[in-house]
Amino acid sequence: MKLAILSRNSKLYSTRRLVEAARDQGHSVRVLDPLRCYMRIASDGFSMRYKGKPISGYQAVIPRIGASITRYGSAVLRQFELMGTLTPNSSDAVLRARDKLRCHQLLAAEHIGLPTTVFGDNPDDTHDLLSMLGAPPHVIKLNEGTQGAGVMLTEKLSASQGVIEALRGLYANFLVQEFIEEARGADLRCFVVGGRVVAAMKRQAPKGDFRSNLHRGGTAKGVRASAAEEDVAIRASRVLGLGIAGVDLIRSQRGPLVLEVNASPGLEGIEDASGVDVAGEIVTYLAERVRRKAVKRAAAR
């Protein structure tokens, strides 16, 4: 398999591990900075170049697209798709997952559990909007925040109103959710590859914080997700169209609830905590998809 990895930095742990796993399995692999990929789009076909040379012949591409380059990175990924390259996460799926509001709407439509969420635009509606959610504490999240950034907990109604007014003054997009107190600052990251959970870890927020993200000082340990938790993680990935996903769940009195679905989940925390070769699982899954595509094409001929 000739594999491309879209990543701004080849030295990042996740990118390095994917390169190592691909080479260990005998595949050809190259890291491409998506911002150095440029495209020709015409009715007679699609082409792309990278640092002055054509991009061609790649059978598969793994997107590692950061939030800051979502728009351009997804356009590059879409160009790969139009050129016939397989990807575990399509450009549209990446965009669905990156937009928290859209993601929650799609999951709720499929009756997948999640914290009750409200969203509104007009300041005149703030009081009634919060009444739809219920009494504080409230969790306020920026719509496109990552790694726990832009997530705030407000314990009084006046605080919720104040934060909302401030965010509206900055023209920020955000949503407001109920706070699941019984989770006690812990959540569960399920790593889904090809429709199955290959690894899971429980993350615990540091003392004095409610965010369990490892980038915020949280700790992690490998765990075995329950059948119900695995089912929710797999369904959430499928709804968004993701072959690879990090699904963050919270354990509540009414069952597992989806907090977020990450289309470019990091590998370092999950591999360290679980001891699973997640990068190898990703490459194996993608190589099998490439093989099946080749067999199908040969049969059609």
Side-chain angles (χ1 to χ4, degrees):
M1 173 176 65
K2 185 177 179 181
L3 171 67
I5 299 172
L6 293 179
S7 173
R8 296 294 322 279
N9 187 349
S10 61
K11 296 180 181 179
L12 292 175
Y13 179 92
S14 299
T15 305
R16 285 193 294 104
R17 284 289 297 119
L18 289 168
V19 169
E20 291 168 2
R23 289 176 178 164
D24 286 346
Q25 295 185 30
H27 304 297
S28 169
V29 57
R30 186 181 182 189
V31 178
L32 302 175
D33 180 348
L35 296 188
R36 294 299 303 273
C37 299
Y38 43 102
M39 302 159 271
R40 180 182 185 272
I41 303 161
S43 56
D44 61 355
F46 301 89
S47 62
M48 208 161 21
R49 296 175 75 84
Y50 184 77
K51 298 182 179 180
K53 296 182 179 180
I55 294 175
S56 62
Y58 287 98
Q59 296 163 294
V61 57
I62 298 175
R64 301 290 309 172
I65 297 170
S68 63
I69 63 163
T70 296
R71 183 173 179 272
Y72 194 85
S74 62
V76 170
L77 180 58
R78 187 177 302 109
Q79 189 83 349
F80 269 104
E81 294 174 73
L82 292 167
M83 292 166 59
T85 305
L86 276 175
T87 178
N89 294 345
S90 70
S91 54
D92 286 341
V94 170
L95 291 172
R96 283 192 289 268
R98 193 58 53 83
D99 184 335
K100 287 185 175 67
L101 177 61
R102 184 182 182 189
C103 175
H104 278 64
Q105 288 174 318
L106 293 170
L107 297 179
E110 295 298 322
H111 307 290
I112 292 174
L114 67 159
T116 301
T117 304
V118 299
F119 175 82
D121 183 70
N122 195 300
D124 293 341
D125 300 324
T126 299
H127 181 77
D128 193 44
L129 178 74
L130 293 175
S131 73
M132 294 167 64
L133 182 59
H138 298 144
V139 177
I140 303 175
K141 296 180 179 179
L142 292 179
N143 198 32
E144 295 182 352
T146 59
Q147 298 176 346
V151 180
M152 295 150 279
L153 177 67
T154 55
E155 298 185 356
K156 295 182 178 180
L157 184 60
S158 58
S160 298
Q161 292 172 327
V163 171
I164 289 171
E165 289 173 6
L167 291 175
R168 284 194 172 129
L170 296 171
Y171 301 101
N173 292 315
F174 61 92
L175 47 81
V176 190
Q177 292 183 324
E178 67 172 315
F179 176 63
I180 308 300
E181 187 174 3
E182 62 266 27
R184 299 182 183 276
D187 70 10
L188 184 74
R189 162 66 61 92
C190 290
F191 206 108
V192 179
V193 178
R196 65 189 184 93
V197 174
V198 299
M201 64 178 175
K202 181 181 178 181
R203 303 182 300 187
Q204 181 66 53
K207 187 176 181 180
D209 201 345
F210 73 102
R211 298 170 297 179
S212 60
N213 305 75
L214 300 185
H215 289 83
R216 299 285 154 186
T219 57
K221 65 176 182 178
V223 296
R224 178 66 184 269
S226 69
E229 290 162 347
E230 289 195 358
D231 178 66
V232 168
I234 292 166
R235 288 173 60 208
S237 302
R238 187 180 299 126
V239 167
L240 297 179
L242 296 170
I244 298 171
V247 183
D248 295 339
L249 306 175
I250 195 165
R251 289 167 167 167
S252 78
Q253 293 173 353
R254 59 182 189 268
L257 307 177
V258 176
L259 291 177
E260 186 175 354
V261 182
N262 195 323
S264 294
L267 302 184
E268 186 170 11
I270 193 78
E271 288 195 334
D272 284 349
S274 69
V276 175
D277 178 10
V278 178
E281 293 279 355
I282 291 171
V283 173
T284 298
Y285 158 67
L286 202 49
E288 177 59 21
R289 282 193 59 193
V290 169
R291 187 194 68 79
R292 289 201 304 265
K293 182 180 177 181
V295 169
K296 188 176 180 179
R297 183 179 297 171
R301 288 199 295 264

